[in-house]
Amino acid sequence: MTIPRWQRHPLLIIVLAQLCGTSLWFSVNGVGLALSRDLGLSEADLGRLTLTVQAGFIVGTLTIAATGLADRFRASRIFAASCLAGALVNGGFVLAAAHPPLDLLLRFATGLCLAGIYPLGMKLVIGWTPRHTGAALAWLVGMLTLGTALPHLLRGSTLSLPWEWPLLGASTLALVGGAMVLALGDGPHLPPPGGKVRLLDGLAALRERRFRAVAGGYFGHCWELYAFWMLTPFLVMREVERLTAPPGLVSWLSFGIIALGLIGCVGGGSLSRRRGSLWVARRALATSGMICLAYPLLPGAPPELLLGLLALWGLTVIADSPQFSALAAATAPRERIGSTLAVMNAVGFSLTIPAISLTTTLWALQGTRVVWWLLPGPLLGLWAMQRLADPRN
């Protein structure tokens, strides 16, 4: 049987589609400074726009798990439909940015759509490349990271244009990503979709002690990750101002710091093939936690040093995420992987809401010290993972 050309490199197609689809996630943050200047939005206002995306994602993943959509229908079709809907509502924000609460409603809808992109992307990877799941998911999460950084790149390359252009660019990319996955289809290594699914099926893996420990590590990781990504432009702007460099540099540096997570994910995935996913996850979480502890202790350090520390943080803060997903997939019931990952995502991302809310609200009062509010994530995550005694996954 001849394999169609577009199915010969499924992982490449899936991760590129993930890059395009997840550019919707932080599309507004990429133009946050322009929105502050043109529409008078504060850091807290931008934080609320991000929080509503997170809330929409949580509701979406819980809906997918409760209804069994992730395991009852083809993942490729859900992914493509979510990209189409996400492109439309993200584009609609261009018209609604100055009209609350419609702006918040559209960002919430964007989060709902992302729930059909990120978890279903993980299922597509597992369906097409069942071997070396940690390394394969590393590429997927790496592209999620690059997709998160992409709005900053779009803004940096369109500084002479209105802020609406990067948002429309993200919507265009989402349409491309959906089309790519729709052409690829589902992988051959998962059970066919169908059958009734309840929310409790997605929670079934919690009966496993090892899965509970993995989930605890993932939840701590989530507390830190998205709040750090939200804070990155503000932390960068502080150092750019100290350097008296052009403000346009903020977008480029923010993109670079977040995009370094792609290297962290891929490098961690390569290490996982030799040392195991658990070994990588522990060390990445510990490293980002140490940076989180040290950064506020160096407010007077040279700006170049602090930007370098932010780069290292961007490299390590996401490197553990694909390994947590691989560890979770190894323990979840095979026929309910989609629902299990959706539930784990929903719980983890619900923790990003208080983390983002705290840091964006307190930024004006505490400055760099606000990042200490992220430290409980790595600490509690590492504590939860103590129950994983096996040094190899």
Side-chain angles (χ1 to χ4, degrees), residues 14-374:
I14 295 168
V15 299
L16 288 177
Q18 182 86 341
L19 166 65
C20 294
T22 53
S23 66
L24 301 172
W25 211 313
F26 272 52
S27 57
V28 169
N29 300 82
V31 296
L33 299 179
L35 292 176
S36 298
R37 182 189 65 243
D38 297 347
L39 302 181
L41 299 187
S42 66
E43 291 91 348
D45 293 328
L46 293 173
R48 280 190 286 272
L49 289 171
T50 303
L51 288 174
T52 55
V53 177
Q54 304 299 90
F57 181 83
I58 294 162
V59 172
T61 49
L62 286 176
T63 300
I64 284 174
T67 59
L69 283 172
D71 297 305
R72 293 174 62 189
F73 300 98
R74 292 189 177 278
S76 56
R77 293 180 181 176
I78 297 174
F79 188 104
S82 299
C83 284
L84 172 60
L88 293 174
V89 296
N90 183 71
F93 181 85
V94 169
L95 303 175
H99 303 286
L102 184 57
D103 58 342
L104 294 173
L105 181 62
L106 287 173
R107 292 312 289 165
F108 181 85
T110 302
L112 288 175
C113 297
L114 286 164
I117 296 174
Y118 180 39
L120 275 297
M122 288 192 287
K123 184 176 180 180
L124 284 166
V125 166
I126 295 167
W128 280 102
T129 57
R131 297 185 59 195
H132 306 300
T133 304
L137 287 175
W139 278 101
L140 185 80
V141 179
M143 286 302 178
L144 164 69
T145 307
L146 194 57
T148 300
L150 203 55
H152 296 288
L153 176 63
L154 290 172
R155 184 53 184 160
S157 58
T158 58
L159 283 174
S160 60
L161 299 174
W163 56 263
E164 292 89 347
W165 283 92
L167 290 174
L168 296 175
S171 290
T172 302
L173 287 173
L175 292 174
V176 172
M180 291 171 67
V181 163
L182 191 62
L184 176 68
D186 286 22
H189 300 290
L190 285 177
K196 284 191 172 183
V197 182
R198 302 169 300 161
L199 177 59
L200 291 178
D201 293 332
L203 299 173
L206 289 174
R207 301 190 194 103
E208 297 288 338
R209 179 187 61 83
R210 187 173 176 81
F211 179 83
R212 290 197 301 271
V214 171
Y218 176 75
F219 298 155
H221 152 82
C222 285
W223 175 273
E224 176 193 19
L225 174 63
Y226 277 85
F228 168 70
W229 280 348
M230 177 68 201
L231 286 174
T232 295
F234 302 122
L235 294 168
V236 170
M237 182 169 60
R238 177 183 183 268
E239 305 313 320
V240 167
E241 289 175 347
R242 292 174 67 206
L243 287 167
T244 64
L249 194 59
V250 173
S251 294
W252 291 103
L253 289 175
S254 297
F255 166 76
I257 288 168
I258 297 174
L260 279 171
L262 169 62
I263 299 174
C265 285
V266 174
S270 179
L271 277 173
S272 73
R273 300 180 70 166
R274 301 193 302 272
R275 306 301 299 268
S277 292
L278 178 58
W279 188 92
V280 174
R282 276 179 170 160
R283 280 152 183 79
L285 191 58
T287 302
S288 66
M290 286 189 289
I291 297 172
C292 185
L293 174 64
Y295 193 89
L297 299 174
L298 305 168
E304 297 87 352
L305 174 63
L306 291 180
L307 287 172
L309 201 57
L310 285 175
L312 181 60
W313 201 352
L315 185 76
T316 57
V317 73
I318 187 66
D320 47 359
S321 186
Q323 306 314 317
F324 283 127
S325 297
L327 289 165
T331 2
R334 194 71 177 165
E335 69 280 5
R336 295 292 177 255
I337 280 180
S339 296
T340 299
L341 292 177
V343 169
M344 191 175 85
N345 284 165
V347 176
F349 277 80
S350 68
L351 295 174
T352 69
I353 291 180
I356 291 173
S357 181
L358 272 172
T359 52
T360 54
T361 301
L362 296 176
W363 169 257
L365 296 174
Q366 297 185 350
T368 59
R369 288 177 296 169
V370 81
V371 302
W372 273 333
W373 289 103
L374 307 186

